[in-house]
């Protein structure tokens, strides 16, 4: 199948397929005599694997590790579990950070009168100068 067909079948855009090939995450596709990439069911399965891992938030280097483990029939499931547990911890950290950002922004919004006056604690905070406009030297 063509790259467009592989993209539709896997849910990975053609642009990302090319990127994954360029970075070595997935093997380079076969080529027709005229240079077009060709993909089969095995490649689509790999692309689906990558997409699912990315959907779960795994960074590219961890996706590569997961792919290597997936291909290694002698792997220990403990190795896979360890990667998944580390990803859970990373997601927990990101969730906490986002909750902190939300709390800070909510506080700033409550502090803003939202009227016709130019005073704006949101902009003051973003400018790094609570209580007044940024000063330039």
């Amino acid at each position: 199948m063509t790259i467009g067909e592989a993209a539709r079948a896997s849910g990975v855009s053609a642009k990302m397929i090319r990127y994954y090939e360029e970075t070595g995450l997935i093997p380079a596709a076969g080529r027709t005599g005229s240079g077009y990439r060709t993909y089969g069911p095995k490649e689509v399965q790999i692309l689906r694997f990558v997409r699912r891992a990315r959907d779960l938030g795994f960074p590219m280097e961890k996706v590569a590790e997961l792919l290597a483990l997936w291909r290694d029939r002698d792997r220990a499931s403990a190795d896979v579990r360890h990667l998944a547990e580390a990803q859970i911890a990373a997601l927990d950290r990101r969730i906490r950070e986002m909750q902190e950002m939300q709390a800070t922004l909510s506080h700033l919004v409550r502090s803003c009168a939202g009227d016709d006056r130019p005073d704006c604690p949101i902009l003051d905070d973003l400018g790094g100068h609570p209580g007044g406009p940024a000063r330039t030297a």
Side-chain angles (χ1 to χ4, degrees):
M1 65 182 72
T2 66
I3 194 168
E5 293 166 332
R8 282 187 291 283
S10 67
V12 176
S13 72
K15 180 179 178 178
M16 289 308 296
I17 293 172
R18 286 189 289 274
Y19 174 74
Y20 293 154
E21 287 179 10
E22 288 170 18
T23 60
L25 182 65
I26 63 172
R31 300 280 183 154
T32 65
S34 55
Y36 290 102
R37 288 175 167 89
T38 60
Y39 301 88
K42 178 182 173 186
E43 290 80 15
V44 170
Q45 185 180 19
I46 292 168
L47 290 168
R48 286 182 182 146
F49 182 101
V50 170
R51 175 164 184 225
R52 183 66 179 141
R54 296 292 289 152
D55 286 348
L56 291 172
F58 283 97
M60 295 292 286
E61 65 273 4
K62 297 301 177 187
V63 173
E65 289 180 42
L66 287 165
L67 272 170
L69 288 167
W70 186 50
R71 291 176 179 131
D72 179 5
R73 302 310 294 165
D74 294 325
R75 69 180 173 266
S77 64
D79 295 336
V80 181
R81 182 182 175 126
H82 175 72
L83 286 173
E85 288 171 338
Q87 180 60 15
I88 291 168
L91 290 171
D92 285 341
R93 277 190 305 277
R94 285 176 49 200
I95 289 167
R96 279 192 309 277
E97 290 168 358
M98 292 182 80
Q99 288 171 332
E100 290 169 8
M101 287 187 285
Q102 181 188 35
T104 299
L105 190 53
S106 293
H107 170 74
L108 291 170
V109 167
R110 286 189 307 275
S111 300
C112 181
D115 55 17
D116 292 335
R117 294 179 297 166
D119 299 351
C120 183
I122 299 168
L123 294 177
D124 292 342
D125 183 85
L126 293 173
H129 299 308
R135 306 257 192 263
T136 56

